[in-house]
Amino acid sequence: MTSPLVKNNATFTTLYLCPAMKPILFLISLLISSNLLSQKVDSIPVALGWAKNSVNTVVFRKNSLTTWKQTQFIAFYDEEQFLVIGKRQLNSSKWIFQKSPYKGNAGDAHNSISIMADGKGFLHVAWNHHNTPLQYCKSISPGSIVLGEKMAMTGQFEASVTYPEFYKMPSGDLLFLYRDGESGKGNLIINSYNVRSEKWSQIQSLLIDGEGQRNAYWQAAVDDRGYFHLSWVWRESADVASNHDLCYAFSRDGGLSWEKSTGEKYNLPITAATAEYACVIPQKSELINQTSMYVLDGIPIIASYWREPNLLFHSIISSILKMASGNSSNPFIDSLHLV
């Protein structure tokens, strides 16, 4: 059955699937990502790493792997909690490793390692963040796995960093997102790295404002056009049960200005009162924060889950915010529910 919701002149449709309809879910998944499923997947052993929790594998790592030309990079904590960088050629399964002098508190799964290679081939690394000062460095030369000294990016709002994420733009420039402040009362910061000048600047010091009462837990993606897509849930306190709602914004200019799916311009910062609500979800719905987002053929796809009211089972939900090609004024969400 389907359940439509109309909000802000946009139609959002929810599709419920009972356990007997699992084959239908599978077929829908094939239709959504058939080009991905048709690709061959190989498994390549890397090395032994820290395995006492999920710090090396958490979903909000952006990224655990990155590629520049024919060189692929990886980063992980070893059993002694040292930050290790590795690389291989794409046509080879042989990894070369460099144990850095830097350590992290791997016992806290928040403290993941995020990496990205810029357009020149420098590897950028941020690690060990959970309401702690920025820890950032980059490789000493393009393609190298030897890291330089720790450094600041801009020197602004770098005392309480959590959830660092790198994104590469088509130009080879980078965006760096992180939360400034604590859970339930933090703000989203965006820094931009110019690959030509090799310098960082802060382009958003308060993109999403929790107004001291809440914070946004986001996921993001860059599409082939260089548009930057952002979705998030709100959290009212440190309690995960206070997660609520699913919001959306996108930028055409590398994070400087932002729009709703309808093309309406946001006045920054975005607040709970001004955000576009793709799906209204009340608190205490077991709504997860920080999942994943991807853009396929111009369609933002958000993976998430929550419990719908009056349902007796817990649902896994794949939420798809669709904007029809050439007509961004008619977005909607399909939610596929499965026990």
Side-chain angles (χ1 to χ4, degrees):
M1 63 180 174
T2 60
S3 174
L5 165 67
V6 179
K7 185 175 179 62
N8 297 334
N9 298 318
T11 301
F12 302 91
T13 302
T14 302
L15 174 64
Y16 297 88
L17 296 182
C18 68
M21 297 176 69
K22 290 183 181 181
I24 295 178
L25 175 62
F26 178 69
L27 289 174
I28 293 173
S29 299
L30 285 176
L31 291 173
I32 292 171
S33 57
S34 59
N35 61 328
L36 298 177
L37 293 175
S38 63
Q39 298 178 14
K40 181 182 178 183
V41 177
D42 294 322
S43 177
I44 300 175
V46 180
L48 295 177
W50 177 272
K52 294 182 180 180
N53 59 13
S54 60
V55 68
N56 278 326
T57 60
V58 288
V59 70
F60 49 80
R61 289 191 67 184
K62 301 290 186 303
N63 295 273
S64 56
L65 289 171
T66 184
T67 302
W68 174 67
K69 296 184 177 179
Q70 294 300 307
T71 302
Q72 186 170 72
F73 301 92
I74 193 170
F76 58 92
Y77 292 115
D78 68 10
E79 64 276 9
E80 297 178 308
Q81 305 184 61
F82 278 96
L83 167 60
V84 178
I85 306 295
K87 70 176 181 179
R88 73 177 181 100
Q89 295 303 299
L90 291 180
N91 61 359
S92 172
S93 60
K94 181 181 179 180
W95 290 93
I96 301 171
F97 299 103
Q98 177 69 44
K99 186 174 183 176
S100 80
Y102 306 125
K103 296 185 74 172
N105 175 18
D108 181 350
H110 289 85
N111 295 330
S112 63
I113 306 163
S114 292
I115 62 173
M116 180 59 78
D118 66 31
K120 287 184 177 178
F122 285 94
L123 184 68
H124 298 252
V125 186
W127 73 100
N128 197 42
H129 295 102
H130 191 191
N131 305 328
T132 51
L134 177 68
Q135 297 207 62
Y136 161 75
C137 64
K138 67 177 186 177
S139 61
I140 60 174
S141 60
S144 174
I145 55 176
V146 178
L147 300 179
E149 298 294 323
K150 288 191 285 187
M151 64 182 79
M153 285 187 175
T154 69
Q156 300 175 289
F157 304 105
E158 296 181 353
S160 183
V161 176
T162 308
Y163 305 124
E165 298 182 0
F166 291 104
Y167 295 89
K168 186 189 294 185
M169 305 303 288
S171 63
D173 294 346
L174 303 182
L175 294 180
F176 182 71
L177 282 65
Y178 64 94
R179 186 185 74 198
D180 171 50
E182 300 178 359
S183 176
K185 50 181 179 179
N187 300 315
L188 174 57
I189 307 291
I190 301 184
N191 293 341
S192 176
Y193 181 80
N194 187 297
V195 73
R196 293 163 295 282
S197 67
E198 299 183 7
K199 293 182 178 180
W200 287 96
S201 62
Q202 194 158 100
I203 60 172
Q204 296 292 346
S205 60
L206 193 58
L207 175 60
I208 302 178
D209 185 3
E211 304 172 286
Q213 302 176 48
R214 63 189 62 85
N215 77 273
Y217 280 88
W218 71 87
Q219 48 273 324
V222 181
D223 69 21
D224 293 337
R225 300 165 295 179
Y227 291 6
F228 193 61
H229 301 259
L230 191 68
S231 62
W232 67 95
V233 303
W234 294 111
R235 182 183 289 187
E236 297 296 313
S237 70
D239 184 359
V240 66
S242 69
N243 286 353
H244 62 93
D245 299 322
L246 181 62
C247 304
Y248 175 79
F250 80 100
S251 173
R252 303 174 191 263
D253 55 11
L256 295 175
S257 63
W258 292 82
E259 304 175 28
K260 299 180 180 181
S261 63
T262 59
E264 178 186 348
K265 301 288 187 180
Y266 273 112
N267 291 320
L268 301 181
I270 302 171
T271 66
T274 62
E276 177 181 15
Y277 285 77
C279 193
V280 176
I281 306 165
Q283 294 186 46
K284 299 182 180 180
S285 296
E286 301 180 20
L287 173 63
I288 191 64
N289 52 267
Q290 291 170 287
T291 53
S292 189
M293 188 174 184
Y294 184 71
V295 184
L296 180 64
D297 297 331
I299 301 173
I301 301 173
I302 308 163
S304 187
Y305 66 81
W306 66 90
R307 185 194 296 272
E308 293 282 354
N310 304 318
L311 288 184
L312 299 179
F313 54 86
H314 195 275
S315 303
I316 298 174
I317 305 170
S318 175
S319 300
I320 306 169
L321 174 61
K322 293 184 178 179
M323 290 177 286
S325 177
N327 178 17
S328 62
S329 63
N330 185 31
F332 63 91
I333 280 187
D334 283 347
S335 297
L336 309 180
H337 295 239
L338 177 64
V339 174

